[in-house]
Amino acid sequence: MSAKLFSPWTVKQVTLKNRIVMSPMCMYSSSNQDGKIADWHRVHYASRAVGGVGLIIVEATAVAPEGRISYDDLGIWSDEHIAGLKELADLVHQNGAKIGIQLAHAGRKAVLDETIVAPSAIPFPDMKVPKAADAGDIRRIVEGFREGARRAKEAGFDVIEIHGAHGYLIHEFLSPVSNHREDEYGGDANGRYRLLGEVIDAVKSVWDGPLFVRVSANEYAPEGNSLDQYIDYARRMKEQGVDLIDCSSGGLVPAPIDVFPGYQVNLADQIRAQAGVATGAVGLINSPLQAEEIIGNGRADLVFLGRELLRNPYWPYEAAKELRTTLERPVQYQRA
């Protein structure tokens, strides 16, 4: 009997050949600081497709120049980015995997010379003070995500993920720690959710494929959102048509985190069970048996691997061997 980790998973009209996802991880390697892909991205992502990953999610890709974490980030704020991103999507498809892209805005964590924006003029510790976003800024942010989704569709991506985690702009709006606004985008949970809700609607106006959202479901801040609040947010996202919640944690404030293998899996488990929405588990998932347990026991629908796939692009083949499942290898590698 095949391992559950290697069973297919279908969302909308997209079928992943297995439950292994390459988590989005910034490479800070764009060519000439123009947000365009470089040879590094072509090799980096295509090699994980050759390695047997079911879905590859490209790193945080900025929907606005001022939304980059650094000047070396990938971008999707211009139609000039489409050709390179299409080349990347085609390479991954040619090597047997599906490909997604994480649309992102860094907010107050942007390390740039330009003016940066956030829900409130509260800096991340020891970083630049941001401008509190006004109504025009918010309109441009929402439009940036819509246009980013349009470009991702034109480039041939299979999945879009909205980055709502790790202390970046959308997460900053969601949390009472960083959002002290008194208008309709702040105050209670309804107001703090408003920006994400508008971004989801904007993306869906041009995108009918699978839509994921990454959240930090543990903020590691006593005055921050609880897991119960993220379960409520997940219910709202499901009602808006989000297909999967990618359950990470942290990044909003500096905090000591008790890190151990699978330390975030409970977040995916609880959100899946209580919000009735598919989830992805991420966070020191290194062992094939551990990944199989997560999928086999219904604690998440997908497992997102980050650093493990940096160390070993061919982890899926090793996992299949350990789980006594046979994977079809590229013909060029069958002699091995």
Side-chain angles (χ1 to χ4, degrees):
M1 185 175 180
S2 295
K4 296 284 179 61
L5 183 63
F6 291 97
S7 62
W9 190 70
T10 299
V11 53
K12 294 198 168 92
Q13 284 75 47
V14 175
T15 297
L16 310 184
K17 64 183 179 183
N18 59 48
R19 309 300 184 95
I20 303 168
V21 180
M22 183 177 183
S23 197
M25 292 173 283
C26 290
M27 294 289 105
Y28 305 112
S29 298
S30 75
S31 61
N32 302 314
Q33 299 188 335
D34 57 8
K36 295 180 180 178
I37 72 160
D39 285 345
W40 171 261
H41 301 98
R42 297 177 180 94
V43 174
H44 172 65
Y45 290 113
S47 65
R48 273 68 189 177
V50 172
V53 171
L55 171 65
I56 291 165
I57 301 184
V58 172
E59 64 205 76
T61 304
V63 299
E66 67 276 12
R68 289 175 285 181
I69 303 167
S70 80
Y71 288 112
D72 296 314
D73 286 17
L74 286 186
I76 197 166
W77 65 78
S78 166
D79 285 355
E80 292 182 2
H81 294 120
I82 295 173
L85 292 169
K86 184 178 189 308
E87 181 184 352
L88 189 60
D90 289 347
L91 276 170
V92 168
H93 288 148
Q94 289 164 18
N95 287 289
K98 301 298 185 184
I99 186 168
I101 189 166
Q102 187 185 66
L103 302 182
H105 192 299
R108 70 178 187 170
K109 293 180 83 174
V111 185
L112 305 173
D113 296 331
E114 294 86 350
T115 299
I116 60 175
V117 297
S120 304
I122 303 169
F124 188 83
D126 300 320
M127 292 181 71
K128 184 176 179 176
V129 177
K131 170 197 171 188
D134 61 27
D137 294 322
I138 289 174
R139 284 195 299 271
R140 286 187 289 274
I141 288 162
V142 174
E143 179 66 8
F145 277 94
R146 188 188 75 82
E147 284 292 280
R150 175 186 63 81
R151 295 179 183 116
K153 183 175 182 177
E154 289 187 29
F157 284 87
D158 303 294
V159 172
I160 287 176
E161 177 170 278
I162 297 168
H163 199 347
H166 300 162
Y168 298 118
L169 184 76
I170 290 176
H171 187 191
E172 293 162 19
F173 270 86
L174 289 172
S175 178
V177 174
S178 45
N179 184 346
H180 293 185
R181 300 175 73 95
E182 297 179 355
D183 64 1
E184 66 269 32
Y185 291 93
D188 63 11
N190 291 329
R192 298 196 310 272
Y193 181 82
R194 185 180 299 274
L195 177 67
L196 174 56
E198 290 183 0
V199 166
I200 291 169
D201 286 344
V203 167
K204 286 184 67 64
S205 73
V206 296
W207 174 260
D208 56 5
L211 180 61
F212 299 177
V213 177
R214 173 165 274 195
V215 300
S216 284
N218 187 340
E219 296 183 348
Y220 304 107
E223 66 276 28
N225 287 317
S226 65
L227 175 58
D228 285 344
Q229 182 60 70
Y230 275 99
I231 291 168
D232 176 65
Y233 284 154
R235 292 188 182 114
R236 298 180 193 214
M237 287 184 256
K238 180 185 178 184
E239 288 175 4
Q240 285 189 267
V242 170
D243 298 293
L244 179 139
I245 311 297
D246 174 3
C247 301
S248 189
S249 70
L252 185 71
V253 294
I257 300 174
D258 185 14
V259 175
F260 53 86
Y263 71 103
Q264 296 171 154
V265 173
N266 182 60
L267 304 174
D269 192 357
Q270 290 298 312
I271 287 174
R272 186 178 191 269
Q274 297 190 49
V277 63
T279 60
V282 61
L284 288 185
I285 299 172
N286 302 326
S287 155
L289 289 173
Q290 175 193 18
E292 176 69 4
E293 184 276 326
I294 292 167
I295 301 300
N297 284 328
R299 302 176 71 196
D301 298 273
L302 302 175
V303 291
F304 285 60
L305 274 66
R307 290 173 177 83
E308 187 62 25
L309 283 171
L310 295 184
R311 290 186 286 267
N312 182 2
Y314 302 100
W315 186 89
Y317 293 113
E318 294 185 4
K321 182 177 180 181
E322 184 169 329
L323 297 173
R324 299 181 181 180
T325 296
T326 300
L327 292 192
E328 184 176 344
R329 298 173 182 268
V331 65
Q332 297 91 336
Y333 288 176
Q334 286 178 4
R335 76 181 79 176

